[in-house]
Amino acid sequence: MEQTVFDVTIIGGGPAGLYSAFYSGLREMRTKLIEYQPFLGGKVNVYPEKMIWDIGGLTPVTGEQLIQQLTQQGLTFQPEVVLGEKVTSISQNADRTFTLHTASGTPHYSKTIILAIGGGILKPTKLEIEGAERFEVTNLHYTVKSLGRFKGKTVLISGGGNTAIDWANELAPIAKKVYLTYRKEVLKGHEAEVSKLMKSHVACLLNTSIVKLTGAKGGEAIHSVWIQNHEDGSIVELEVDEVVVSHGYERDKALLDNSEIQMNMANEYGVAGTPLSETSVEGIFAAGDILAYEGKLHLIAGAFQDAANAVNRAKQYITPEAEAYGMVSSHNDLFIEKNRELKRQLFAAMAD
Ligand SMILES: Cc1cc2nc3c(=O)[nH]c(=O)nc-3n(C[C@H](O)[C@H](O)[C@H](O)COP(=O)(O)OP(=O)(O)OC[C@H]3O[C@@H](n4cnc5c(N)ncnc54)[C@H](O)[C@@H]3O)c2cc1C
């Protein structure tokens, strides 16, 4: 059976990938999006209940709401979406199209590719305590999926970066007691969040690490955590209900190595005139956290700008005579009918 060659295939369904999917639809490109996880949203799934304040034009939304909105927008032009599929390598064919090879063995074909893979496939760095994995089904967590679970409980958080501090601040008002253990002397989070933490009732145990977990009556839930102080070697045993570990993530970026793709080195130094979405392979572009260039914003807002750039470059690669930049959306014929419908709904709501 002959396989469809898409105009653009986006690898990664986080903010950069979803906005790329929207934008490529806007530029009338036949689009496919492939995501390793069985769900869309990328890294935002790590913080579904966190309030996000710093996206232009959006009043605070939770991570979960943002995923919903990003997904709705990303699917506006009905791209083909493949979930639960890992792209393992990319090769170029004689006619300059690309084949994307996958873990399942199903190949995908495309004229251009946008790498929106963030830091790669994310796997949380696990606690290095023998047997700790058996508690993962009960009360050892590597992400905070629902704040409600921690209400009225004694929680120990391990870590000292932004994520650990954000979680400590979110849990402080609802948990019975929050401990934070961090192996270093100084916390690494944003200043405002660290100040908030210091003013809260969270007990910060700096220069300490978890050395042992004890199960309740030898059972499958952690009952107490042993914390060692690095300065004097002393150990305290804390009784806890829940343990949250935020030691960062291991990133699977094998796709780039397997495919011999380098992010354009010029980008890192911000060489004037070099399109920032370019990679070392013509026809393969990049957007979002995977990029590193001077002034790159490793935030959701930054991912959107990168995505539009990458799509515009892909469009021009396929159709050199196409406009280098897309038009403002209000000038786009594709929205005329959609605008009419939205206005109809709005007036109907006002009349009610
Ligand atoms: C705890 C935390 C809080 C944050 N808070 C904020 C905030 O308040 N405001 C803000 O602006 N930013 C925040 N950020 C940063 C923001 O989440 C990222 O900048 C953003 O998600 C980057 O989007 P992306 O699409 O480039 O990458 P990602 O969101 O990482 O998405 C990449 C996707 O690609 C997929 N993928 C990777 N490799 C492959 C492959 N080989 N095959 C198939 N799929 C693949 C991954 O599974 C993933 O879904 C926060 C980050 C964290 C960790």
Side-chain angles (χ1 to χ4, degrees):
M1 196 179 75
E2 202 174 299
Q3 281 263 11
T4 308
V5 180
F6 281 74
D7 289 330
V8 60
T9 298
I10 299 156
I11 310 174
L18 286 168
Y19 194 68
S20 298
F22 167 72
Y23 213 84
S24 59
L26 201 58
R27 300 230 56 191
E28 297 188 304
M29 296 165 82
R30 189 153 190 196
T31 306
K32 183 183 276 186
L33 185 149
I34 306 177
E35 165 57 51
Y36 166 75
Q37 303 287 356
F39 42 78
L40 293 167
K43 221 177 283 162
V44 185
N45 285 289
V46 170
Y47 49 96
E49 296 208 357
K50 190 184 113 129
M51 295 305 298
I52 304 169
W53 287 78
D54 54 355
I55 301 176
L58 271 192
T59 47
V61 282
T62 61
E64 194 175 2
Q65 282 171 314
L66 181 70
I67 292 174
Q68 211 176 36
Q69 287 175 212
L70 279 172
T71 304
Q72 192 183 339
Q73 185 180 44
L75 301 184
T76 305
F77 298 102
Q78 284 122 30
E80 184 167 321
V81 177
V82 181
L83 294 177
E85 181 64 288
K86 176 178 174 178
V87 180
T88 50
S89 67
I90 300 165
S91 57
Q92 193 157 25
N93 308 309
D95 63 357
R96 295 177 66 79
T97 60
F98 295 98
T99 301
L100 294 91
H101 307 274
T102 61
S104 73
T106 306
H108 300 265
Y109 304 99
S110 197
K111 293 180 190 166
T112 65
I113 292 173
I114 295 178
L115 298 169
I117 59 175
I121 292 170
L122 282 188
K123 294 191 180 128
T125 306
K126 298 284 175 94
L127 195 61
E128 286 181 17
I129 303 276
E130 212 185 315
E133 62 287 347
R134 77 178 198 274
F135 298 118
E136 287 178 28
V137 290
T138 53
N139 58 350
L140 173 60
H141 313 274
Y142 288 99
T143 186
V144 172
K145 285 242 186 280
S146 153
L147 292 173
R149 181 190 170 106
F150 300 89
K151 200 170 167 202
K153 296 200 178 160
T154 300
V155 187
L156 177 101
I157 299 173
S158 178
N162 281 318
T163 309
I165 293 169
D166 278 359
W167 284 338
N169 280 331
E170 299 260 6
L171 291 176
I174 58 169
K176 183 169 143 204
K177 173 87 195 157
V178 179
Y179 296 103
L180 184 107
T181 164
Y182 184 45
R183 66 195 159 89
K184 294 194 177 162
E185 208 165 301
V186 181
L187 295 166
K188 279 196 307 193
H190 294 133
E191 291 86 345
E193 292 299 312
V194 173
S195 304
K196 188 171 164 193
L197 182 78
M198 290 307 168
K199 285 184 208 138
S200 74
H201 65 71
V202 172
C204 290
L205 310 165
L206 298 175
N207 256 324
T208 66
S209 313
I210 299 176
V211 287
K212 188 174 162 185
L213 304 171
T214 313
K217 298 192 192 101
E220 294 307 307
I222 300 166
H223 170 255
S224 68
V225 181
W226 300 45
I227 308 281
Q228 182 162 40
N229 186 306
H230 300 157
E231 279 173 348
D232 58 15
S234 61
I235 291 180
V236 289
E237 184 182 359
L238 301 172
E239 283 191 15
V240 297
D241 301 310
E242 308 281 348
V243 177
V244 180
V245 173
S246 170
H247 290 178
Y249 290 89
E250 285 154 19
R251 295 156 199 275
D252 174 355
K253 279 203 211 171
L255 169 62
L256 298 184
D257 297 336
N258 294 345
S259 317
E260 293 183 9
I261 304 167
Q262 275 112 42
M263 295 292 109
N264 196 332
M265 291 307 287
N267 292 345
E268 293 182 27
Y269 306 106
V271 172
T274 308
L276 299 170
S277 55
E278 224 83 338
T279 70
S280 59
V281 180
E282 277 186 41
I284 303 184
F285 305 91
D289 275 6
I290 182 64
L291 283 173
Y293 53 80
E294 200 174 301
K296 163 68 190 149
L297 206 54
H298 285 102
L299 288 173
I300 294 159
F304 297 157
Q305 158 93 4
D306 295 335
N309 275 338
V311 169
N312 287 331
R313 296 292 300 154
K315 177 76 182 181
Q316 273 220 311
Y317 177 81
I318 301 175
T319 318
E321 62 280 11
E323 294 274 344
Y325 300 102
M327 296 169 279
V328 294
S329 63
S330 53
H331 291 182
N332 197 304
D333 290 347
L334 297 167
F335 287 110
I336 293 173
E337 186 43 44
K338 287 183 196 292
N339 285 348
R340 274 196 206 111
E341 178 54 31
L342 285 173
K343 279 184 190 157
R344 255 196 304 275
Q345 287 172 14
L346 192 67
F347 291 138
M350 281 163 65
D352 280 346

